[in-house]
Amino acid sequence: MIKPHSSLAAALTALCLAASAAFAQTPTPAPSASSTPSVENKDVIPEIKTRGKLIVGCKYDVRLFGLNNPMTHRVEGFDADLGRAMAKALLGDEKKIELVETVSANRIPFLTENKVDIVISTMTITEDRKKQIDMSDVYYMAGQSLLVPKGSPIHSVKDLDGKIVTTVQGSTSEKNIQAAAPNAKFNLLKSYSECFTALGNKQADAMTTDDIILLGFKATAPDKYELVGGQFTQEPYGIGVRKGHEDLLKFVNDELAKMKADGRWKALYDKHLKPVSGQSIEPPQ
Ligand code: GLU
């Protein structure tokens, strides 16, 4: 018969062994939202060529960049046409594209979940985003600003204390405005067209995002609204590519460089953005 004290000793020995085994194990780092996902590099261009179309995430409600025309069902704008240029270069025909609507908050999940090949959706290149996806070289340089009704007492971010500001969830605009005007109240919505409606309905005193997006909305009612406060951030736009698809990232960057050099970038700028910016500019380097 085993004596009680020896069963206690056996239990303690077992506990010590288990504890030392646990310490001997290589610690597994807890997954964190900001940690770089480990992805295997894989050539994806052959798959896209077999499929015969490039799947591109794009805004559907942002004038100048990606606006779904309800009459023609064609998505119009700089980003949509940039996607068509990529499809033409890759597959020989700009019609070999499938556009998918992306709002700001789902752009990265759509890439990581393989729902789209690339995202061209007024997306600022940030260090945080580059931990989750790859981003191309800069294709447009914007800056955050404010849109207000004409005659508003708001002239800059300094006038936003206690005022309601609307912008979109998952955008840099959301983070930037919370840092620049911490005493404002925020009406965070899913899309920029919803923000513009909220501004029109007086559910917000100001709307904030990139100046070029605001100019597109202002152009629909130029007598009612104005941009104020200048650019208070820099927003370099890049094309999002899933991590590990290095062949596609290289293709996108090479094609962007060609478009900047051969006049196609400028033609897109002059067609979509110059009519509202009123400026003639060179492509970003
Ligand atoms: N460029 C900013 C961003 O990527 C604001 C515009 C947008 O939400 O698409 O977050």
Side-chain angles (χ1 to χ4, degrees):
M1 190 185 152
I2 302 166
K3 291 178 203 155
H5 75 268
S6 53
S7 86
L8 183 67
L12 278 174
T13 312
L15 199 66
C16 287
L17 281 174
S20 62
F23 278 115
Q25 272 173 15
T26 318
T28 317
S32 91
S34 61
S35 69
T36 311
S38 60
V39 248
E40 245 176 76
N41 189 30
K42 165 179 170 254
D43 280 354
V44 71
I45 288 180
E47 211 175 279
I48 296 170
K49 288 195 166 160
T50 311
R51 187 203 299 141
K53 65 182 177 183
L54 181 68
I55 307 175
V56 180
C58 181
K59 293 263 164 53
Y60 273 30
D61 71 328
V62 171
R63 230 158 244 283
L64 318 182
F65 285 92
L67 182 70
N68 195 4
N69 182 329
M71 307 298 281
T72 59
H73 299 292
R74 184 177 167 87
V75 184
E76 295 164 354
F78 190 102
D79 284 350
D81 278 356
L82 187 52
R84 291 184 180 104
M86 292 290 162
K88 181 161 188 195
L90 191 61
L91 303 166
D93 184 347
E94 67 155 46
K95 292 197 188 78
K96 292 189 173 171
I97 189 171
E98 182 182 323
L99 288 168
V100 174
E101 181 175 13
T102 47
V103 293
S104 299
N106 67 20
R107 291 174 292 197
I108 292 178
F110 272 33
L111 280 171
T112 54
E113 291 161 17
N114 259 329
K115 290 189 177 147
V116 295
D117 297 314
I118 55 177
V119 162
I120 313 181
S121 184
T122 64
M123 180 153 63
T124 300
I125 302 165
T126 69
E127 287 311 309
D128 202 38
R129 287 176 178 162
K130 276 162 64 181
K131 286 178 190 154
Q132 304 167 69
I133 57 167
D134 283 331
M135 295 203 73
S136 74
D137 297 333
V138 183
Y139 72 85
Y140 182 75
M141 184 60 93
Q144 190 167 339
S145 193
L146 298 170
L147 185 72
V148 294
K150 273 197 177 162
S152 159
I154 299 167
H155 303 291
S156 80
V157 283
K158 293 196 187 80
D159 303 321
L160 291 175
D161 281 8
K163 297 277 194 279
I164 305 171
V165 189
T166 184
T167 191
V168 162
Q169 289 156 354
S171 65
T172 53
S173 316
E174 175 192 1
K175 281 195 176 161
N176 296 337
I177 196 65
Q178 286 171 345
N183 298 321
K185 295 175 193 149
F186 302 101
N187 184 357
L188 300 175
L189 300 170
K190 216 174 115 193
S191 68
Y192 290 105
S193 51
E194 288 172 353
C195 294
F196 190 59
T197 305
L199 184 66
N201 291 343
K202 308 214 176 345
Q203 290 161 329
D205 301 301
M207 169 175 171
T208 189
T209 186
D210 304 334
D211 51 356
I212 191 72
I213 296 179
L214 296 175
L215 278 173
F217 283 102
K218 174 187 146 58
T220 64
D223 300 336
K224 279 180 84 177
Y225 300 102
E226 59 187 339
L227 263 79
V228 293
Q231 289 188 336
F232 57 92
T233 68
Q234 282 208 319
E235 306 292 328
Y237 289 0
I239 298 176
V241 181
R242 186 183 158 91
K243 269 194 189 294
H245 289 174
E246 282 169 21
D247 61 336
L248 189 56
L249 180 67
K250 183 178 181 319
F251 163 79
V252 161
N253 276 332
D254 288 351
E255 199 52 35
L256 266 183
K258 284 186 208 159
M259 291 179 72
K260 289 176 185 177
D262 66 16
R264 280 179 295 154
W265 184 95
K266 196 147 177 53
L268 282 189
Y269 177 85
D270 288 352
K271 179 177 174 196
H272 295 294
L273 308 184
K274 193 177 167 194
V276 285
S277 76
Q279 288 171 355
S280 211
I281 63 165
E282 291 306 312
Q285 288 316 309

